[in-house]
Amino acid sequence: MSSGNEFVETLKKIGYPKADILNGEDFDWLFENAEDESFLKWFCGNVNEHNVLSEKELEAFSILQKSGKPILEGSALDEVLKTCKTSDLKTPKLDDKELEKLEDEVQTLQRLKNLKMQRRNKYQLMASVSSHKSLRLNAKKEESTKKLKQSQGILSSVTTKLSNELQALTDGVTKLMMFFRHSNLGQGTNPMVFLSQFSLEKYLSQEEQSTAALTLYTKKQFFQGIHEVVESSNEENFQLLDIHTPSICDNQEILQERRLEMARLQLAYICAQHQLINLKANNSSMKSSIKWTEENLHNLTSKAVGKENLDAKISSLNSEILKLEEQITHIKDKTLPAVVKENAQLLNMPVVKGDFDLQIAKQDYYTARQELVLNQLIKQKASFELVQLSYELELRKHWDTYRQLENLVQELSQSNMMLYQRLEILTDPSVFQQINPRNTIDTKDYSTHRLYQLLEGENKKRELFVTHGNLEEAAEKLKQDVSLVQDQLAITAQEHFLFLSKLNNNVDMLCDVLYQGGNQLLLSDQELTEQFHQVESQLNKLNHLLTDILADVKTKRKILATNKLHQMERE
């Protein structure tokens, strides 16, 4: 049964009207706090229908509150209870014998009452102690369950972490064993990991094939002897080749023939240019003469010209013709041959340019082929250097792992030797079997020294030599101290029990005084309460009279203030 359901059942017992509607699981959160939980558990275990006020008592208390009468509480109630005296019971007069019998019965009943009260107090104390113990045990149980759950979670996380680390360690060890295991190429079960395990026959055969193809290509493309440069592995030979001028320029006969050919071409060019210039001059002279005759004929037909004018004009034209002939002869003999000769010399430029363009094209062809061969050689050399570098790196890593493994082997051997030494010391019979056992405790026996420090305490003066007798004395002293403390605890428990019993008796006496055998609380004497009520009623009447007088005085003052006749009469 949950704590919330128990709380709802307690509400049903004391008669709460809406207890049937409530659900116990909705009140479980109230028991999560430790302080509230103890109170609620006490409430559920001790409260019942007798602790609830009846409707009549509630109505009487509400009427008392509405009446406006003062209600005593706290220190005022204590003072009234001190002065309060029980009212004398009006009983009929009886005989002495009957009185003695009644007194004896009262005494016996009082004794029975006291015994029952003592038993009840004892049972209540035992019940409270048991309930308190149960509450403490429940709290301890919950704390222990929480700690157990936390420790279980921590242990589960630690175990999972440890298992994962162990699995990773086993995987790493298996991989390391696979690395250093001899591989079988036929089966293919152990994959090769290191570069040194692979064979380079295929790679070397490919490189030899590429080298042979490269030498064959260089023999076809370049001059004789270049294959020796390609096949050699010296870095000095891996340079660009110097391509000189073509072989046609090395022969003197070919050069002489080319010069004669160029002279023939220049002479032919000069003759052709001379004839071309003469023909152009004749053509232009013919065109100009035709044009001039046409112009003069037109003028002759249009106008009649005199003979004198014609002679003068003919003489002027002849003189101009002579000048022109002189200029033409000068140009023909001096200026024109030099210009034609210069143009004939310029005729050499296209031929020379074509020759040089052919040389440049051959140079470019040879350099392109050289670059192709050079790139291929660089690739081969780079591949060789890469393989060499990878082998060096792998060798360095192997050396590092070798050093680490050597250090690990040395450390393990040292720890093994130390372990063997300890085992030999432990198995030494002189340690266990002593002919003359010493009374003093050995300084290396740290556990015994620590036990002696715990038994003796830190504030005591430490001795130079600790013996087994001192250890036994400290243990005996501790045993005596424990027995004394247990006796003191028993005495204090008895005193506490007596104090609680006295307190319960005083509480019962107070309840008898307050209730006087009934269910209604009597805070004071009835006669005094009646007199107080009378005094209070008289005070209320007096207050009403005073208020009426004050109101009458106020009305009269208002009348005097408003009516002048009354003021004059008063004066």
Side-chain angles (χ1 to χ4, degrees):
M1 187 174 181
S2 64
S3 301
N5 293 324
E6 188 178 356
F7 179 69
V8 173
E9 290 295 330
T10 306
L11 292 178
K12 288 180 181 179
K13 285 181 183 178
I14 64 176
Y16 184 69
K18 296 181 181 180
D20 296 329
I21 307 170
L22 299 175
N23 188 8
E25 294 179 355
D26 297 335
F27 296 95
D28 290 335
W29 63 273
L30 292 172
F31 293 86
E32 293 178 359
N33 192 0
E35 296 178 358
D36 297 336
E37 184 182 3
S38 60
F39 171 73
L40 290 170
K41 286 187 177 180
W42 173 85
F43 178 78
C44 295
N46 297 322
V47 176
N48 53 20
E49 61 273 6
H50 297 293
N51 301 110
V52 182
L53 296 175
S54 63
E55 294 181 357
K56 292 181 181 180
E57 291 174 350
L58 291 172
E59 288 178 358
F61 185 70
S62 64
I63 291 166
L64 181 63
Q65 284 183 340
K66 291 178 181 178
S67 66
K69 294 178 181 180
I71 298 170
L72 297 176
E73 294 179 354
S75 61
L77 179 62
D78 295 333
E79 291 177 359
V80 171
L81 289 173
K82 289 177 182 178
T83 59
C84 179
K85 295 180 179 179
T86 57
S87 61
D88 296 330
L89 297 173
K90 296 178 181 180
T91 56
K93 294 180 179 180
L94 299 173
D95 296 334
D96 295 334
K97 293 181 179 179
E98 292 178 355
L99 288 171
E100 287 178 359
K101 288 180 180 179
L102 291 172
E103 287 178 357
D104 293 333
E105 289 179 357
V106 167
Q107 288 178 0
T108 55
L109 292 172
Q110 189 69 30
R111 289 172 185 172
L112 291 171
K113 183 182 177 182
N114 291 328
L115 288 171
K116 289 181 179 179
M117 287 175 67
Q118 287 179 1
R119 290 177 182 175
R120 187 197 64 183
N121 294 329
K122 188 175 181 180
Y123 291 148
Q124 285 180 354
L125 181 62
M126 292 172 68
S128 63
V129 170
S130 62
S131 63
H132 184 64
K133 285 182 179 179
S134 65
L135 291 173
R136 288 175 65 186
L137 288 172
N138 289 325
K140 289 181 179 179
K141 182 180 178 181
E142 291 177 356
E143 289 179 358
S144 62
T145 52
K146 288 181 181 178
K147 289 180 180 179
L148 182 62
K149 288 180 181 179
Q150 290 177 359
S151 61
Q152 285 177 354
I154 292 167
L155 286 172
S156 62
S157 63
V158 169
T159 51
T160 52
K161 186 177 180 181
L162 187 61
S163 62
N164 293 327
E165 289 179 354
L166 288 172
Q167 187 64 33
L169 184 61
T170 53
D171 294 337
V173 170
T174 52
K175 288 180 180 179
L176 187 64
M177 293 299 291
M178 288 175 68
F179 288 164
F180 291 102
R181 194 181 298 164
H182 294 290
S183 62
N184 191 359
L185 297 174
Q187 295 179 0
T189 55
N190 299 322
M192 291 181 290
V193 177
F194 297 112
L195 186 62
S196 58
Q197 295 177 348
F198 292 95
S199 62
L200 299 177
E201 293 179 357
K202 189 176 180 180
Y203 171 72
L204 293 173
S205 64
Q206 289 180 357
E207 290 293 328
E208 287 176 357
Q209 290 176 4
S210 64
T211 305
L214 187 63
T215 53
L216 184 60
Y217 178 77
T218 51
K219 286 178 181 179
K220 290 180 179 179
Q221 295 292 330
F222 299 108
F223 56 89
Q224 187 176 2
I226 197 169
H227 64 280
E228 296 175 356
V229 177
V230 174
E231 289 177 355
S232 62
S233 60
N234 291 326
E235 294 181 356
E236 297 176 356
N237 294 323
F238 291 109
Q239 303 293 333
L240 288 171
L241 296 174
D242 294 331
I243 304 299
H244 299 288
T245 55
S247 58
I248 55 174
C249 296
D250 295 334
N251 197 352
Q252 296 292 327
E253 294 180 356
I254 295 171
L255 289 173
Q256 191 67 30
E257 289 179 358
R258 288 188 66 192
R259 289 173 183 171
L260 292 173
E261 186 66 26
M262 289 299 296
R264 291 193 198 97
L265 288 173
Q266 289 177 2
L267 184 60
Y269 177 76
I270 292 168
C271 293
Q273 289 293 324
H274 191 270
Q275 290 178 2
L276 180 62
I277 291 166
N278 289 325
L279 291 173
K280 284 181 179 181
N282 292 325
N283 190 9
S284 62
S285 65
M286 290 294 291
K287 286 180 179 179
S288 62
S289 61
I290 291 166
K291 187 178 180 181
W292 183 80
T293 53
E294 286 179 354
E295 290 176 356
N296 289 326
L297 287 172
H298 182 68
N299 292 324
L300 289 173
T301 55
S302 61
K303 295 179 181 180
V305 182
K307 187 177 179 181
E308 294 177 356
N309 292 328
L310 288 171
D311 294 333
K313 197 169 187 179
I314 288 166
S315 62
S316 63
L317 289 172
N318 288 324
S319 61
E320 288 178 0
I321 288 167
L322 291 173
K323 289 178 181 179
L324 289 171
E325 286 178 354
E326 289 177 358
Q327 291 178 358
I328 288 166
T329 53
H330 183 268
I331 290 168
K332 187 176 179 181
D333 294 334
K334 293 181 179 180
T335 305
L336 186 61
V339 172
V340 172
K341 191 173 181 180
E342 288 178 0
N343 289 329
Q345 290 178 356
L346 293 174
L347 185 64
N348 295 331
M349 296 300 293
V351 177
V352 176
K353 184 177 179 298
D355 192 6
F356 281 118
D357 290 336
L358 180 61
Q359 293 180 9
I360 290 168
K362 288 181 179 180
Q363 182 74 24
D364 293 335
Y365 176 77
Y366 284 121
T367 53
R369 294 297 175 270
Q370 284 180 352
E371 288 178 356
L372 182 63
V373 173
L374 184 62
N375 290 328
Q376 189 65 31
L377 292 172
I378 289 169
K379 287 179 182 180
Q380 285 184 350
K381 187 176 181 182
S383 64
F384 277 116
E385 289 179 353
L386 181 62
V387 172
Q388 185 180 2
L389 182 62
S390 60
Y391 272 114
E392 288 178 357
L393 290 173
E394 189 173 352
L395 181 61
R396 186 173 293 176
K397 288 180 180 179
H398 284 321
W399 275 110
D400 292 336
T401 53
Y402 176 74
R403 291 193 201 93
Q404 291 176 2
L405 290 172
E406 285 290 331
N407 294 326
L408 184 61
V409 167
Q410 290 178 2
E411 290 177 359
L412 289 173
S413 63
Q414 289 177 1
S415 62
N416 196 6
M417 290 294 292
M418 291 173 69
L419 181 61
Y420 279 126
Q421 290 176 2
R422 289 178 183 176
L423 289 173
E424 288 177 357
I425 291 168
L426 291 173
T427 55
D428 191 3
S430 62
V431 176
F432 296 99
Q433 296 177 0
Q434 293 181 0
I435 299 169
N436 295 320
R438 294 185 300 174
N439 191 17
T440 58
I441 297 170
D442 193 4
T443 56
K444 295 181 181 180
D445 195 355
Y446 297 109
S447 59
T448 309
H449 279 281
R450 183 60 181 160
L451 179 62
Y452 180 75
Q453 288 178 3
L454 290 172
L455 293 173
E456 190 69 20
E458 295 181 356
N459 296 324
K460 296 296 181 68
K461 186 178 179 181
R462 294 183 180 179
E463 296 181 0
L464 184 60
F465 296 104
V466 180
T467 61
H468 294 283
N470 293 332
L471 189 63
E472 290 176 358
E473 289 177 0
E476 289 290 334
K477 188 177 180 182
L478 180 63
K479 186 177 179 181
Q480 291 175 3
D481 293 338
V482 169
S483 63
L484 289 172
V485 171
Q486 288 177 354
D487 295 336
Q488 290 177 0
L489 286 173
I491 292 165
T492 52
Q494 290 178 359
E495 290 177 355
H496 184 64
F497 179 73
L498 292 171
F499 178 72
L500 287 174
S501 64
K502 289 180 181 179
L503 185 63
N504 288 322
N505 291 326
N506 293 329
V507 170
D508 293 333
M509 291 173 67
L510 181 61
C511 290
D512 292 334
V513 172
L514 291 174
Y515 290 96
Q516 293 182 0
N519 292 323
Q520 190 173 4
L521 180 65
L522 297 175
L523 299 176
S524 63
D525 193 2
Q526 191 172 3
E527 294 177 358
L528 289 172
T529 54
E530 289 178 357
Q531 291 177 2
F532 279 128
H533 286 309
Q534 289 177 4
V535 172
E536 190 176 358
S537 63
Q538 290 177 2
L539 287 172
N540 290 328
K541 288 179 182 179
L542 185 61
N543 286 325
H544 285 300
L545 289 172
L546 287 171
T547 53
D548 293 335
I549 291 166
L550 290 171
D552 193 8
V553 170
K554 285 181 180 179
T555 53
K556 286 181 179 180
R557 283 180 179 177
K558 286 181 180 179
I559 291 167
L560 287 171
T562 54
N563 196 346
K564 293 183 178 181
L565 293 172
H566 288 290
Q567 291 179 2
M568 291 172 67
E569 287 177 358
R570 185 180 178 187
E571 290 175 358

